[in-house]
Amino acid sequence: MKSKTIKTLRLLGLGFIEPLIRLIGGEEQQKNLRLFFKQALLPLISILLFILIWHGGARALYNSEASARIEKARVEQGEAAAKEMESCIASGDISCQPNTLPSPVQVYHAYIALWKDHLEISRKKEEFRDKVAETNEQRAEQGLSEITYTGRPSFLDQIGTSLKTVAAGFLLAMFIAVPIGIIIGLSDSLRTSFNWLIQIFKPVSPVVWLLLVFMVVKTMITDPSMDKSFIISFISVGLCAMWATLVNTSMGVSNVDKDYINVAKVLKLNIGQNIFKIILPASLPLIFTGLRITVSVAWMVLIAIELLAQSPGLGSFVWEEFQNGANDSNAKIIVAMFVIGIIGFLLDRIMLSVQSFMTFNKTTA
Amino acid sequence: MTLLELKGVSKSFGTGSSKIDVLSDINLKVEDGEFLAIVGFSGSGKTTLINLINGLLFPDEGEVLLHGKPVTGPGPDRGVIFQNYSLLPWLSVYSNIKLAVDEVFPKLSKKEREQHIRKYIEMVNLTPAIDKKPLELSGGMRQRVSVARALAMNPEILLMDEPLSALDALTRGTLQEEIIKIWSVDKKTAVLITNDVDEGILMADRIVPLTPGPNATMGPEFKVGFERPRDVTEINQDPVYKRLRNDILEYLMDVGATRRQVSDRKYILPDIQPVMPGRIRFGRKRKEEQVKYF
Ligand SMILES: Nc1ncnc2c1ncn2[C@@H]1O[C@H](COP(=O)(O)OP(=O)(O)OP(=O)(O)O)[C@@H](O)[C@H]1O
Ligand SMILES: [Mg+2]
């Protein structure tokens, strides 16, 4: 049981809990205690340290901005105005708060606010659904489309949209890059003839891809009911992120161990069997390495692309908050930053687990 | 009837100054149903020779004839036991053999194929490890899978490249017997590459040494005339066996000595007189056998 738990944990990338489980199980107490300290406590301490430094830095920035404001009031409007500004800042009035790096506490409050906002919006959605349930039934009978809630999306909805976009982009990248990678990998001449194309397009910035996709999609899709911004952003994400998979797949396919090829030759496998029984399994580890890179690139460019394409999601959330300039906008941006980082990390973990599952070069797999 | 014939075969690798002439002017005939053993030093080109026969490599000069026709490529009619096992690491023991059996016996029913596969796995004593992946197996177990795969293909010629080198004496003995048994049932043709003269004498009808490389070529043949089925202990006491073994060893030592004179490298020889040990192995040096005879 225990070893099974440990195996699952390792697969999930939560290996650092392993010593704790062994410790509770009473195995080699001293060694596991030390291991647990090293693997779990030290990161925890560093997180605390990080928050402390952040807090101190935010405090210092806040103070310098506050004194700059008071000084400005004194120079422009005299001593009385400076006094007023000082008391205004001290009272915490929104109108005169220094606008700078938010402190950890503010970010925490912004997080709570976003969560409450989400609950509020879901409640509204629920209400709306109840209200239109009858009408929708009638409309369904008449063959009309449903009336859906069109209010402002919550932060969680934005996350969902972003994940959907990245998933679509990733699938697109996979379905383009893996087959092409295999075909290119199989033939030396194809590889040399397409290499320049890959080398040139690989480093192109997401912004350019977005514009390119925009040009094409704008003219190709004229149906107004289709979600153009979603299509544009997921295609751009896919195009940006597919190169790692393409390169890795073609490398994996072209470098299959000669021994395996010899087996295929002796057995006289036909080309299809050769690809599916020998070449593909042999290059799966490299393909999954490529897919893992593709996921992280997709998630990274997604934010920028959403921001530019004005398509809903975390990117546009960040951009709107920045332009909004409300009192807690900065704090919300920081919340979004952490969410983006953590989701990216989780995506990478998932891919790592899948990858280590696919790798036969390790005895643990 | 001659099944396999090599006529003036030469093979080199590389070009220019890095060119290595591995084999030169190899002439060899293998009769239908014969069991031939080839002994030679490590790096002399034994694997190259096997690859020329199975069609993975092609000769620079001369030709390799099978049934009188030049070999145009590999095929399952020449089952190979590769020196480095060449198992597919993502497939279990069963699936590795199944891949070959499915290819060679497409007409058999599913049930028959499964029985066939299990029979050969049982033969190499790997039934307990049937669902294991090659990387979970020891070197010797992998070698046995490789043996089972080649035997299960039921090839016309069995080409074996040091198939038993990683096995302990006991397993080795069993597998030697098994290979002989399978070979003798329908008198297939077999070419065995080995570094163990005793193994050659026990199994083969004829032993041909390969001279040390570069430009390795075939030495004089030694006929092994013992009655089959052969019994290890009986043969061991036979004076003919001792003479034969000494002849082959002497020949190998002679050509080994010439090799030493030809090359300008200096070998520091241990200051000991070799007392004829029970089994001398040529070729691949293993870690636990650091003693160099040549
Ligand atoms: N593909 C290749 N390219 C270049 N040189 C090669 C190639 N294959 C073999 N050689 C060279 O040919 C020579 C003979 O190699 P080969 O593998 O046939 O030896 P061997 O007799 O099987 O040795 P061992 O007993 O160690 O297996 C070696 O010097 C090796 O370096
Ligand atoms: Mg070899």
Side-chain angles (χ1 to χ4, degrees), chain B residues 5-10 25-29 61-65:
Chain B
E5 185 173 5
L6 279 77
K7 271 196 208 157
V9 167
S10 301
D25 195 26
I26 299 267
N27 290 294
L28 185 70
K29 274 188 185 177
E61 278 165 46
E63 49 188 354
V64 181
L65 303 170

Side-chain angles (χ1 to χ4, degrees), chain B residues 170-202:
Chain B
L170 223 61
T171 328
R172 204 178 162 115
T174 338
L175 273 180
Q176 282 169 351
E177 272 171 37
E178 283 302 340
I179 292 174
I180 287 293
K181 215 162 48 190
I182 294 163
W183 166 79
S184 59
V185 168
D186 31 30
K187 280 283 176 188
K188 266 170 267 175
T189 312
V191 176
L192 169 77
I193 300 257
T194 183
N195 48 26
D196 182 353
V197 173
D198 292 295
E199 184 171 283
I201 296 176
L202 183 69

